[in-house]
Amino acid sequence: MGLLDHLRHNGENWVGTEYRGTDSMAWYAYTSSIDNNLPVGIRFDYWISDTTYTNYHFVLGNGYVMYTQNYFGFKDPDSGQNNTGTIYRVWSDNDQDIGFLALFKQQL
């Protein structure tokens, strides 16, 4: 059984490709997933919130904006007064600290 064999989306088998934010195809893979209505599981290697530090933190990538810089959008599952919607951050400021899983439908 493969690492991702247990993943299911809408009742069908889905598999994924893992990327580091600094991979040459990472931004394309991220934006393609969002364009295809596939959320992206993002793992930050470290996370600082207020004065709390953790070794890693998972969020849901759900959007992007291409302006003078590329911004990725995510929803943090943790609650909090400043955590009520999509948060946008500059990709190039964070790419060295993130990894993500882009899902796609398994071809049977």
Side-chain angles (χ1 to χ4, degrees):
M1 177 180 282
L3 177 65
L4 302 174
D5 286 348
H6 66 284
L7 288 177
R8 298 189 61 76
H9 182 77
N10 292 336
E12 297 186 30
N13 287 329
W14 290 75
V15 294
T17 301
E18 186 176 341
Y19 295 90
R20 290 295 307 166
T22 54
D23 291 347
S24 63
M25 293 297 293
W27 178 252
Y28 173 77
Y30 179 81
T31 58
S32 293
S33 292
I34 300 302
D35 289 344
N36 286 297
N37 296 317
L38 297 172
V40 177
I42 298 173
R43 178 187 168 185
F44 282 90
D45 292 338
Y46 66 89
W47 184 264
I48 299 172
S49 178
D50 298 321
T51 58
T52 304
Y53 166 84
T54 59
N55 288 334
Y56 61 88
H57 187 67
F58 288 92
V59 298
L60 177 68
N62 64 352
Y64 68 92
V65 174
M66 292 170 39
Y67 189 56
T68 56
Q69 297 187 70
N70 293 330
Y71 291 80
F72 67 107
F74 62 90
K75 178 69 174 123
D76 189 341
D78 289 346
S79 59
Q81 67 182 28
N82 298 320
N83 193 18
T84 58
T86 299
I87 300 165
Y88 287 90
R89 296 288 185 258
V90 176
W91 182 269
S92 61
D93 290 349
N94 293 278
D95 62 354
Q96 69 280 359
D97 298 319
I98 62 174
F100 66 91
L101 183 65
L103 297 175
F104 54 92
K105 187 175 180 181
Q106 184 176 19
Q107 300 297 317
L108 299 176

